[in-house]
Amino acid sequence: MTTDTQRGKLSRFDCEAIDEAIVDVVGDDLRTIVEYDEHDFNVLRIRDDVVEQLGGEEAFSDLADLLHSDYRLDFTQQELYEEMYGNLGVVRAFVVLMDHATIVRFVGEETGVYVSLEAGTPIQPVMDAMKGVVESDE
């Protein structure tokens, strides 16, 4: 795996525009971008040092499979939250803050984009950049 951006193949989002928008606002703090749906995922970008931190390509692949088994449920949870908080609008993202990374999962109706950032990276600029790309795709 390299830091080169791969082409999107699952998402209706413009994955190249997503990558460019996020890199513009966070630079080297971007760790990973993955597009996903209920059935599959596609790694668009991952830094080499992140693969090494996770124990190599095989360990990364195992972790990615495990993560997808959970993140594919985002679409069900999105519906649940929208029903519970109906007057607040549409769920656009889930955010997880960890000691060594921040994970932001942007969800559409059928596809999502997982973004991993260095811990402490400001989230709002990423949210704004992503929103600009996603809304232009709608």
Coordinates of all heavy atoms in Angstrom, one line a residue, residues 29-126:
D29 N -1.6 15.0 7.9 CA -2.4 14.4 9.0 C -3.4 13.4 8.5 O -4.1 12.7 9.3 CB -3.1 15.5 9.8 CG -2.2 16.2 10.7 OD1 -1.1 15.7 10.9 OD2 -2.6 17.2 11.3
L30 N -3.6 13.2 7.2 CA -4.5 12.2 6.6 C -3.8 10.9 6.6 O -2.7 10.7 6.1 CB -4.9 12.6 5.2 CG -5.7 11.6 4.4 CD1 -7.0 11.3 5.1 CD2 -5.9 12.0 3.0
R31 N -4.4 9.9 7.3 CA -3.9 8.6 7.4 C -4.5 7.6 6.4 O -3.7 6.9 5.7 CB -4.2 8.0 8.8 CG -3.5 8.8 9.9 CD -4.1 8.4 11.3 NE -4.2 7.0 11.6 CZ -3.2 6.2 12.1 NH1 -2.1 6.8 12.4 NH2 -3.4 5.0 12.3
T32 N -5.8 7.6 6.2 CA -6.4 6.6 5.4 C -7.8 7.2 4.8 O -8.4 7.9 5.5 CB -6.8 5.4 6.2 OG1 -5.6 4.9 6.9 CG2 -7.3 4.3 5.3
I33 N -8.1 6.8 3.6 CA -9.4 7.1 3.1 C -9.9 5.7 2.5 O -9.2 5.1 1.7 CB -9.5 8.1 2.0 CG1 -9.0 9.5 2.5 CG2 -10.9 8.3 1.4 CD1 -9.0 10.6 1.5
V34 N -11.1 5.4 2.8 CA -11.7 4.1 2.3 C -13.2 4.4 1.9 O -13.9 5.0 2.7 CB -11.7 3.0 3.4 CG1 -12.3 1.7 2.9 CG2 -10.2 2.8 3.9
E35 N -13.6 3.9 0.8 CA -15.0 4.0 0.4 C -15.6 2.6 0.8 O -14.9 1.6 0.7 CB -15.2 4.3 -1.1 CG -14.7 3.3 -2.0 CD -15.0 3.6 -3.5 OE1 -15.9 4.3 -3.8 OE2 -14.2 3.0 -4.3
Y36 N -16.9 2.6 1.1 CA -17.5 1.4 1.5 C -19.0 1.4 1.3 O -19.6 2.5 1.2 CB -17.2 1.1 3.0 CG -17.8 2.0 4.0 CD1 -19.0 1.7 4.7 CD2 -17.2 3.3 4.3 CE1 -19.5 2.6 5.6 CE2 -17.7 4.2 5.2 CZ -18.8 3.8 5.9 OH -19.4 4.7 6.8
D37 N -19.6 0.2 1.2 CA -21.0 0.1 1.2 C -21.4 -1.1 2.0 O -20.5 -1.6 2.8 CB -21.6 0.0 -0.3 CG -21.1 -1.3 -1.0 OD1 -20.6 -2.2 -0.4 OD2 -21.2 -1.3 -2.3
E38 N -22.6 -1.6 2.0 CA -23.0 -2.7 2.8 C -22.2 -4.0 2.5 O -22.1 -4.9 3.4 CB -24.5 -3.0 2.7 CG -25.3 -2.0 3.4 CD -26.8 -2.3 3.3 OE1 -27.1 -3.4 3.9 OE2 -27.6 -1.6 2.8
H39 N -21.7 -4.1 1.3 CA -21.1 -5.4 0.9 C -19.6 -5.4 0.7 O -19.0 -6.5 0.8 CB -21.7 -5.8 -0.5 CG -23.2 -5.8 -0.4 ND1 -24.0 -6.8 0.3 CD2 -24.1 -5.0 -0.9 CE1 -25.2 -6.5 0.2 NE2 -25.4 -5.4 -0.6
D40 N -19.0 -4.3 0.5 CA -17.6 -4.2 0.1 C -16.9 -2.9 0.6 O -17.6 -2.0 1.0 CB -17.4 -4.4 -1.4 CG -16.1 -5.0 -1.8 OD1 -15.3 -5.3 -0.9 OD2 -15.9 -5.1 -3.0
F41 N -15.6 -2.9 0.4 CA -14.9 -1.6 0.7 C -13.7 -1.6 -0.3 O -13.3 -2.6 -0.8 CB -14.4 -1.5 2.2 CG -13.4 -2.6 2.5 CD1 -12.0 -2.3 2.4 CD2 -13.8 -3.8 3.0 CE1 -11.1 -3.3 2.8 CE2 -12.8 -4.8 3.3 CZ -11.5 -4.5 3.2
N42 N -13.2 -0.3 -0.5 CA -12.1 -0.1 -1.4 C -11.2 0.9 -0.7 O -11.6 2.1 -0.5 CB -12.6 0.4 -2.7 CG -11.6 0.7 -3.7 OD1 -10.6 0.0 -3.8 ND2 -11.8 1.7 -4.5
V43 N -9.9 0.6 -0.5 CA -9.0 1.5 0.1 C -8.5 2.4 -1.0 O -8.0 2.0 -2.0 CB -7.8 0.7 0.7 CG1 -6.7 1.7 1.3 CG2 -8.2 -0.3 1.8
L44 N -8.8 3.7 -0.7 CA -8.4 4.7 -1.7 C -7.0 5.3 -1.4 O -6.3 5.7 -2.3 CB -9.4 5.9 -1.7 CG -10.8 5.4 -2.0 CD1 -11.8 6.6 -1.8 CD2 -10.9 5.0 -3.5
R45 N -6.7 5.4 -0.2 CA -5.4 6.0 0.2 C -5.0 5.5 1.6 O -5.9 5.4 2.5 CB -5.5 7.5 0.3 CG -4.2 8.2 0.8 CD -4.4 9.7 1.1 NE -4.4 10.4 -0.1 CZ -3.4 11.1 -0.7 NH1 -2.2 11.1 -0.1 NH2 -3.5 11.7 -1.8
I46 N -3.8 5.1 1.8 CA -3.3 4.7 3.1 C -1.8 5.1 3.1 O -1.1 4.7 2.2 CB -3.5 3.3 3.5 CG1 -3.1 3.1 5.0 CG2 -2.9 2.3 2.6 CD1 -3.6 1.8 5.6
R47 N -1.4 5.7 4.2 CA 0.1 6.1 4.3 C 0.8 4.8 4.6 O 0.4 3.9 5.4 CB 0.3 7.1 5.4 CG -0.2 8.5 5.0 CD 0.2 9.5 6.0 NE 0.7 9.0 7.3 CZ 0.3 9.6 8.5 NH1 -0.5 10.6 8.5 NH2 0.7 9.1 9.6
D48 N 2.0 4.7 4.1 CA 2.9 3.5 4.3 C 3.2 3.3 5.8 O 3.1 2.2 6.3 CB 4.2 3.6 3.6 CG 4.0 3.5 2.1 OD1 3.1 2.8 1.6 OD2 4.9 4.0 1.3
D49 N 3.4 4.4 6.5 CA 3.7 4.3 7.9 C 2.5 3.8 8.7 O 2.7 3.1 9.8 CB 4.2 5.6 8.5 CG 3.2 6.7 8.5 OD1 2.6 7.0 7.5 OD2 3.0 7.3 9.6
V50 N 1.3 4.0 8.3 CA 0.1 3.5 9.0 C 0.1 2.0 8.8 O -0.2 1.3 9.8 CB -1.2 4.2 8.4 CG1 -2.4 3.5 9.0 CG2 -1.1 5.7 8.8
V51 N 0.3 1.5 7.6 CA 0.4 0.1 7.4 C 1.4 -0.6 8.3 O 1.2 -1.6 8.9 CB 0.7 -0.3 5.9 CG1 0.9 -1.8 5.7 CG2 -0.4 0.3 5.0
E52 N 2.6 0.0 8.4 CA 3.6 -0.5 9.3 C 3.2 -0.5 10.7 O 3.4 -1.4 11.5 CB 4.9 0.4 9.1 CG 5.6 0.2 7.8 CD 6.8 1.1 7.6 OE1 7.3 1.6 8.6 OE2 7.1 1.4 6.4
Q53 N 2.6 0.6 11.2 CA 2.1 0.7 12.6 C 1.1 -0.4 12.9 O 1.0 -0.9 14.0 CB 1.4 2.0 12.8 CG 2.3 3.2 12.9 CD 1.5 4.5 12.9 OE1 0.3 4.6 12.9 NE2 2.3 5.6 12.8
L54 N 0.3 -0.8 11.9 CA -0.7 -1.8 12.1 C -0.2 -3.3 12.0 O -0.9 -4.2 12.2 CB -1.9 -1.6 11.1 CG -2.6 -0.4 11.2 CD1 -3.6 -0.1 10.1 CD2 -3.4 -0.3 12.6
G55 N 1.1 -3.4 11.6 CA 1.8 -4.7 11.6 C 2.0 -5.2 10.2 O 2.2 -6.4 10.0
G56 N 1.9 -4.4 9.2 CA 2.1 -4.9 7.8 C 0.8 -5.0 7.0 O -0.3 -4.9 7.5
E57 N 1.0 -5.3 5.7 CA -0.2 -5.4 4.8 C -1.2 -6.5 5.2 O -2.4 -6.2 5.1 CB 0.3 -5.6 3.4 CG 0.9 -4.3 2.8 CD 1.1 -4.4 1.3 OE1 0.3 -5.0 0.6 OE2 2.1 -3.7 0.9
E58 N -0.7 -7.6 5.7 CA -1.7 -8.7 6.0 C -2.5 -8.3 7.3 O -3.7 -8.5 7.3 CB -0.9 -10.0 6.3 CG -1.9 -11.2 6.5 CD -1.1 -12.5 6.7 OE1 0.0 -12.7 6.1 OE2 -1.7 -13.4 7.4
A59 N -1.8 -7.7 8.3 CA -2.5 -7.2 9.5 C -3.5 -6.1 9.1 O -4.6 -6.1 9.6 CB -1.5 -6.8 10.5
F60 N -3.1 -5.2 8.2 CA -4.0 -4.1 7.8 C -5.2 -4.7 7.1 O -6.3 -4.3 7.3 CB -3.3 -3.1 6.8 CG -4.2 -2.2 6.2 CD1 -4.8 -1.2 6.9 CD2 -4.6 -2.4 4.8 CE1 -5.8 -0.4 6.3 CE2 -5.5 -1.6 4.3 CZ -6.1 -0.6 5.0
S61 N -5.0 -5.7 6.2 CA -6.1 -6.3 5.5 C -7.1 -7.0 6.5 O -8.3 -6.9 6.3 CB -5.5 -7.4 4.5 OG -6.6 -8.0 3.8
D62 N -6.5 -7.7 7.5 CA -7.4 -8.3 8.5 C -8.2 -7.2 9.2 O -9.4 -7.4 9.5 CB -6.6 -9.1 9.5 CG -6.0 -10.4 8.8 OD1 -6.4 -10.8 7.7 OD2 -5.0 -10.9 9.4
L63 N -7.6 -6.2 9.6 CA -8.2 -5.1 10.3 C -9.3 -4.4 9.5 O -10.4 -4.2 9.9 CB -7.2 -4.0 10.8 CG -7.9 -2.8 11.5 CD1 -8.6 -3.2 12.8 CD2 -6.8 -1.8 11.8
A64 N -9.0 -4.2 8.2 CA -9.9 -3.6 7.3 C -11.2 -4.5 7.1 O -12.3 -4.0 7.1 CB -9.3 -3.4 5.9
D65 N -11.0 -5.8 7.1 CA -12.2 -6.7 7.0 C -13.0 -6.6 8.3 O -14.2 -6.5 8.2 CB -11.7 -8.1 6.8 CG -11.2 -8.4 5.4 OD1 -11.5 -7.7 4.5 OD2 -10.4 -9.4 5.3
L66 N -12.3 -6.6 9.4 CA -13.0 -6.5 10.7 C -13.8 -5.1 10.8 O -15.0 -5.1 11.2 CB -12.1 -6.6 11.8 CG -12.6 -6.5 13.2 CD1 -13.6 -7.7 13.5 CD2 -11.5 -6.5 14.3
L67 N -13.2 -4.0 10.4 CA -13.8 -2.7 10.5 C -15.0 -2.7 9.5 O -16.1 -2.2 9.9 CB -12.8 -1.6 10.1 CG -11.7 -1.3 11.0 CD1 -10.7 -0.3 10.4 CD2 -12.2 -0.8 12.4
H68 N -14.9 -3.3 8.4 CA -16.0 -3.2 7.4 C -17.2 -4.0 8.0 O -18.3 -3.6 7.7 CB -15.6 -3.7 6.0 CG -16.8 -3.6 5.1 ND1 -17.5 -4.7 4.8 CD2 -17.3 -2.6 4.4 CE1 -18.5 -4.3 3.9 NE2 -18.3 -3.0 3.7
S69 N -16.9 -5.1 8.7 CA -18.1 -5.8 9.3 C -18.9 -5.0 10.2 O -20.1 -5.2 10.4 CB -17.6 -7.1 9.9 OG -16.9 -6.8 11.1
D70 N -18.3 -4.0 10.8 CA -19.0 -3.0 11.7 C -19.5 -1.8 10.9 O -20.7 -1.5 11.0 CB -18.1 -2.6 12.8 CG -18.8 -1.6 13.7 OD1 -19.9 -1.9 14.2 OD2 -18.2 -0.5 14.0
Y71 N -18.7 -1.2 10.1 CA -19.1 0.0 9.4 C -20.2 -0.2 8.4 O -20.9 0.8 8.0 CB -17.8 0.7 8.8 CG -16.8 1.2 9.8 CD1 -15.6 1.5 9.4 CD2 -17.2 1.3 11.1 CE1 -14.6 2.0 10.4 CE2 -16.3 1.8 12.1 CZ -15.0 2.1 11.7 OH -14.1 2.5 12.6
R72 N -20.3 -1.4 7.8 CA -21.4 -1.6 6.9 C -22.8 -1.4 7.5 O -23.8 -1.2 6.9 CB -21.3 -3.0 6.3 CG -21.5 -4.1 7.2 CD -21.3 -5.5 6.6 NE -21.4 -6.5 7.6 CZ -22.6 -7.1 8.0 NH1 -23.7 -6.7 7.4 NH2 -22.6 -8.0 8.9
L73 N -22.8 -1.4 8.9 CA -24.0 -1.2 9.6 C -24.4 0.3 9.7 O -25.4 0.7 10.2 CB -23.9 -1.8 11.0 CG -23.7 -3.3 11.0 CD1 -23.5 -3.8 12.5 CD2 -24.8 -4.1 10.4
D74 N -23.5 1.2 9.3 CA -23.7 2.6 9.4 C -25.0 3.0 8.7 O -25.7 3.9 9.2 CB -22.6 3.4 8.7 CG -21.3 3.5 9.5 OD1 -21.3 3.1 10.7 OD2 -20.3 4.0 9.0
F75 N -25.4 2.3 7.6 CA -26.6 2.7 6.9 C -27.8 2.4 7.7 O -28.8 3.2 7.7 CB -26.6 2.1 5.5 CG -25.3 2.3 4.8 CD1 -24.3 1.3 4.7 CD2 -24.9 3.5 4.3 CE1 -23.1 1.5 4.1 CE2 -23.7 3.8 3.7 CZ -22.8 2.7 3.6
T76 N -27.8 1.3 8.5 CA -28.9 1.0 9.3 C -29.0 2.0 10.5 O -30.0 2.5 10.9 CB -28.8 -0.5 9.9 OG1 -28.7 -1.3 8.8 CG2 -29.9 -0.8 10.8
Q77 N -27.8 2.2 11.1 CA -27.8 3.2 12.2 C -28.1 4.6 11.8 O -28.8 5.3 12.5 CB -26.4 3.2 12.9 CG -26.1 1.9 13.6 CD -24.8 1.9 14.3 OE1 -24.0 2.8 14.2 NE2 -24.5 0.8 15.0
Q78 N -27.8 4.9 10.6 CA -28.2 6.3 10.0 C -29.7 6.4 10.0 O -30.2 7.4 10.5 CB -27.6 6.4 8.6 CG -28.0 7.7 7.9 CD -27.5 7.7 6.4 OE1 -27.4 6.6 5.8 NE2 -27.3 8.9 5.9
E79 N -30.4 5.4 9.5 CA -31.8 5.4 9.5 C -32.4 5.5 11.0 O -33.3 6.2 11.2 CB -32.4 4.2 8.9 CG -32.2 4.1 7.4 CD -32.6 2.8 6.7 OE1 -33.4 2.0 7.4 OE2 -32.2 2.5 5.6
L80 N -31.8 4.7 11.9 CA -32.3 4.7 13.3 C -32.1 6.1 13.9 O -33.1 6.6 14.5 CB -31.5 3.7 14.1 CG -31.7 3.6 15.6 CD1 -33.1 3.1 15.8 CD2 -30.7 2.8 16.3
Y81 N -31.0 6.7 13.8 CA -30.8 8.1 14.3 C -31.7 9.1 13.7 O -32.2 10.0 14.4 CB -29.3 8.5 14.2 CG -28.4 7.9 15.2 CD1 -27.4 7.0 14.8 CD2 -28.5 8.2 16.5 CE1 -26.5 6.4 15.7 CE2 -27.6 7.6 17.4 CZ -26.7 6.7 17.0 OH -25.8 6.1 17.9
E82 N -31.9 9.0 12.4 CA -32.8 9.9 11.7 C -34.2 9.8 12.2 O -35.0 10.8 12.3 CB -32.7 9.8 10.2 CG -31.4 10.3 9.7 CD -31.2 10.0 8.2 OE1 -32.0 9.3 7.5 OE2 -30.1 10.4 7.7
E83 N -34.6 8.5 12.5 CA -36.0 8.3 13.1 C -36.1 8.9 14.5 O -37.0 9.5 14.9 CB -36.3 6.8 13.1 CG -36.6 6.3 11.7 CD -36.9 4.8 11.7 OE1 -37.2 4.2 12.8 OE2 -36.7 4.1 10.7
M84 N -35.0 8.6 15.3 CA -35.0 9.1 16.7 C -35.0 10.6 16.8 O -35.6 11.2 17.6 CB -33.9 8.5 17.5 CG -34.1 7.0 17.8 SD -32.8 6.3 18.9 CE -31.3 7.0 18.4
Y85 N -34.1 11.2 16.0 CA -33.9 12.7 16.0 C -34.4 13.3 14.7 O -33.8 14.2 14.2 CB -32.4 13.0 16.1 CG -31.8 12.4 17.4 CD1 -30.9 11.3 17.3 CD2 -32.0 13.0 18.6 CE1 -30.3 10.8 18.4 CE2 -31.4 12.5 19.7 CZ -30.6 11.4 19.6 OH -30.0 10.8 20.8
G86 N -35.6 12.9 14.3 CA -36.1 13.3 13.0 C -36.2 14.8 12.7 O -35.9 15.2 11.6
N87 N -36.4 15.6 13.8 CA -36.5 17.0 13.6 C -35.1 17.7 13.5 O -35.1 18.8 13.2 CB -37.3 17.6 14.7 CG -36.7 17.4 16.1 OD1 -35.9 16.4 16.3 ND2 -36.9 18.3 17.0
L88 N -34.1 16.9 13.6 CA -32.7 17.5 13.5 C -32.1 17.3 12.2 O -31.0 17.9 11.9 CB -31.8 16.9 14.6 CG -32.2 17.1 16.0 CD1 -31.2 16.4 17.0 CD2 -32.3 18.6 16.4
G89 N -32.7 16.5 11.3 CA -32.2 16.4 9.9 C -31.6 15.1 9.6 O -31.7 14.1 10.3
V90 N -30.8 15.1 8.6 CA -30.1 13.9 8.0 C -28.8 13.6 8.7 O -28.0 14.6 8.9 CB -29.9 14.0 6.5 CG1 -29.2 12.8 5.9 CG2 -31.3 14.2 5.8
V91 N -28.5 12.4 9.0 CA -27.2 12.0 9.6 C -26.2 12.0 8.4 O -26.4 11.4 7.4 CB -27.2 10.6 10.2 CG1 -25.8 10.1 10.6 CG2 -28.1 10.5 11.4
R92 N -25.1 12.8 8.6 CA -24.1 13.0 7.5 C -22.8 12.2 7.9 O -22.1 11.8 7.0 CB -23.8 14.4 7.3 CG -24.9 15.3 6.9 CD -25.1 15.1 5.4 NE -26.2 16.1 5.0 CZ -26.8 15.9 3.9 NH1 -26.5 15.0 3.1 NH2 -27.7 16.8 3.6
A93 N -22.5 12.0 9.2 CA -21.3 11.4 9.6 C -21.3 10.9 11.0 O -22.1 11.3 11.8 CB -20.1 12.5 9.5
F94 N -20.4 9.9 11.2 CA -20.1 9.4 12.5 C -18.7 9.7 12.8 O -17.8 9.6 12.0 CB -20.3 7.9 12.6 CG -21.7 7.5 12.3 CD1 -22.1 7.0 11.1 CD2 -22.7 7.5 13.3 CE1 -23.4 6.6 10.8 CE2 -24.0 7.1 13.1 CZ -24.3 6.6 11.9
V95 N -18.4 10.2 14.1 CA -17.0 10.6 14.4 C -16.6 9.8 15.7 O -17.3 9.7 16.6 CB -16.9 12.1 14.7 CG1 -15.5 12.5 15.2 CG2 -17.3 12.9 13.5
V96 N -15.4 9.2 15.6 CA -14.8 8.5 16.7 C -13.4 9.1 17.1 O -12.6 9.2 16.2 CB -14.6 7.0 16.4 CG1 -14.0 6.3 17.6 CG2 -15.9 6.4 16.0
L97 N -13.3 9.6 18.3 CA -12.0 10.2 18.7 C -11.3 9.2 19.6 O -11.8 8.7 20.6 CB -12.3 11.5 19.6 CG -13.1 12.5 18.9 CD1 -13.5 13.6 19.9 CD2 -12.4 13.1 17.7
M98 N -10.1 8.9 19.2 CA -9.2 7.9 19.9 C -7.9 8.6 20.3 O -7.7 9.7 20.0 CB -9.0 6.7 19.0 CG -10.3 6.1 18.5 SD -10.1 4.8 17.3 CE -9.6 3.5 18.4
D99 N -7.1 7.8 21.1 CA -5.9 8.4 21.6 C -4.9 8.8 20.4 O -4.2 9.8 20.5 CB -5.2 7.4 22.5 CG -5.9 7.2 23.8 OD1 -6.6 8.1 24.2 OD2 -5.7 6.2 24.5
H100 N -4.9 7.9 19.4 CA -3.9 8.1 18.3 C -4.5 8.4 17.0 O -3.7 8.4 16.0 CB -3.0 6.9 18.3 CG -2.3 6.6 19.6 ND1 -1.3 7.4 20.1 CD2 -2.5 5.6 20.5 CE1 -0.9 7.0 21.3 NE2 -1.6 5.9 21.6
A101 N -5.8 8.5 16.9 CA -6.4 8.8 15.6 C -7.8 9.3 15.8 O -8.4 9.1 16.8 CB -6.4 7.5 14.7
T102 N -8.3 10.0 14.8 CA -9.7 10.4 14.7 C -10.3 9.8 13.5 O -9.7 9.9 12.4 CB -9.8 11.9 14.6 OG1 -9.3 12.5 15.8 CG2 -11.3 12.4 14.5
I103 N -11.4 9.1 13.6 CA -12.1 8.4 12.5 C -13.4 9.2 12.2 O -14.2 9.4 13.1 CB -12.4 7.0 12.8 CG1 -11.2 6.2 13.4 CG2 -13.0 6.3 11.6 CD1 -10.0 6.2 12.6
V104 N -13.5 9.6 10.9 CA -14.8 10.2 10.5 C -15.3 9.3 9.4 O -14.6 9.0 8.4 CB -14.5 11.6 10.0 CG1 -15.8 12.3 9.6 CG2 -13.8 12.5 11.0
R105 N -16.6 8.9 9.5 CA -17.3 8.1 8.5 C -18.4 8.9 8.0 O -19.4 9.2 8.7 CB -17.7 6.8 9.1 CG -16.6 6.0 9.6 CD -17.0 4.6 10.1 NE -18.2 4.4 10.8 CZ -18.4 4.5 12.1 NH1 -17.4 4.7 12.9 NH2 -19.6 4.2 12.6
F106 N -18.3 9.4 6.7 CA -19.3 10.1 6.0 C -20.2 9.1 5.4 O -19.8 8.2 4.7 CB -18.7 11.0 5.0 CG -17.7 12.0 5.6 CD1 -16.4 11.7 5.7 CD2 -18.2 13.2 6.0 CE1 -15.5 12.6 6.2 CE2 -17.3 14.2 6.6 CZ -16.0 13.9 6.7
V107 N -21.6 9.3 5.6 CA -22.5 8.3 5.0 C -23.5 9.0 4.1 O -24.0 10.0 4.3 CB -23.3 7.5 6.1 CG1 -22.3 6.6 6.9 CG2 -24.0 8.5 7.1
G108 N -23.7 8.3 2.9 CA -24.7 8.7 2.0 C -25.9 7.6 2.1 O -25.9 6.9 3.1
E109 N -26.7 7.6 1.1 CA -27.8 6.6 1.2 C -27.3 5.2 1.1 O -27.9 4.3 1.8 CB -28.8 6.9 0.1 CG -29.6 8.2 0.4 CD -30.6 8.5 -0.7 OE1 -31.1 7.5 -1.3 OE2 -31.0 9.6 -0.9
E110 N -26.3 4.9 0.2 CA -25.9 3.5 0.0 C -24.4 3.3 0.1 O -23.9 2.2 0.1 CB -26.3 3.1 -1.4 CG -27.9 3.1 -1.5 CD -28.3 2.7 -2.9 OE1 -27.4 2.4 -3.8 OE2 -29.5 2.7 -3.2
T111 N -23.6 4.4 0.2 CA -22.2 4.3 0.3 C -21.7 5.3 1.3 O -22.3 6.3 1.7 CB -21.5 4.6 -1.1 OG1 -21.9 5.9 -1.5 CG2 -21.9 3.6 -2.1
G112 N -20.5 5.0 1.8 CA -19.8 5.9 2.8 C -18.4 6.0 2.5 O -17.8 5.3 1.7
V113 N -17.8 7.0 3.1 CA -16.3 7.2 3.0 C -15.8 7.3 4.4 O -16.2 8.1 5.3 CB -16.0 8.5 2.3 CG1 -14.5 8.8 2.2 CG2 -16.6 8.5 0.8
Y114 N -14.8 6.5 4.7 CA -14.1 6.4 6.0 C -12.8 7.2 5.9 O -12.1 7.0 4.9 CB -13.8 4.9 6.3 CG -12.8 4.6 7.3 CD1 -13.2 4.1 8.6 CD2 -11.4 4.7 7.1 CE1 -12.3 3.8 9.6 CE2 -10.5 4.3 8.1 CZ -11.0 3.9 9.3 OH -10.1 3.5 10.3
V115 N -12.6 8.1 6.8 CA -11.4 8.9 6.8 C -10.7 8.8 8.2 O -11.3 9.0 9.2 CB -11.7 10.4 6.5 CG1 -10.4 11.2 6.6 CG2 -12.4 10.5 5.2
S116 N -9.4 8.4 8.2 CA -8.7 8.4 9.4 C -7.6 9.5 9.4 O -6.9 9.7 8.4 CB -7.9 7.0 9.5 OG -7.1 7.0 10.6
L117 N -7.6 10.2 10.5 CA -6.7 11.4 10.7 C -5.9 11.2 11.9 O -6.2 10.5 12.8 CB -7.6 12.6 10.9 CG -8.7 12.9 9.8 CD1 -9.6 14.0 10.4 CD2 -8.1 13.4 8.5
E118 N -4.8 11.9 11.9 CA -3.9 11.9 13.1 C -4.8 12.5 14.3 O -5.6 13.4 14.1 CB -2.7 12.8 12.9 CG -1.7 12.2 12.0 CD -1.1 10.8 12.5 OE1 -1.0 10.6 13.7 OE2 -0.8 10.0 11.6
A119 N -4.6 12.0 15.5 CA -5.3 12.5 16.7 C -5.0 14.0 16.8 O -3.9 14.5 16.5 CB -4.8 11.8 17.9
G120 N -6.0 14.8 17.2 CA -5.8 16.2 17.4 C -6.0 17.0 16.1 O -6.0 18.3 16.2
T121 N -6.2 16.4 14.9 CA -6.4 17.1 13.7 C -7.8 17.8 13.8 O -8.8 17.1 14.2 CB -6.4 16.2 12.5 OG1 -5.2 15.5 12.4 CG2 -6.7 17.0 11.2
P122 N -7.9 19.1 13.6 CA -9.2 19.7 13.6 C -10.2 19.1 12.7 O -9.9 18.8 11.5 CB -9.0 21.2 13.2 CG -7.5 21.4 13.5 CD -6.9 20.0 13.2
I123 N -11.4 18.7 13.2 CA -12.4 18.0 12.5 C -13.2 18.9 11.6 O -13.6 18.5 10.5 CB -13.3 17.2 13.4 CG1 -12.4 16.2 14.2 CG2 -14.4 16.4 12.6 CD1 -13.2 15.5 15.3
Q124 N -13.6 20.1 12.1 CA -14.5 20.9 11.3 C -14.1 21.2 9.9 O -14.9 21.2 9.0 CB -14.9 22.2 12.1 CG -16.1 22.9 11.6 CD -17.3 22.0 11.6 OE1 -17.7 21.4 12.6 NE2 -18.0 21.9 10.4
P125 N -12.8 21.5 9.7 CA -12.4 21.8 8.3 C -12.6 20.6 7.4 O -12.9 20.7 6.2 CB -10.9 22.2 8.4 CG -10.7 22.7 9.8 CD -11.7 21.9 10.6
V126 N -12.4 19.4 8.0 CA -12.6 18.1 7.2 C -14.1 18.0 6.9 O -14.4 17.6 5.8 CB -12.0 16.9 8.0 CG1 -12.4 15.6 7.2 CG2 -10.5 17.0 8.2

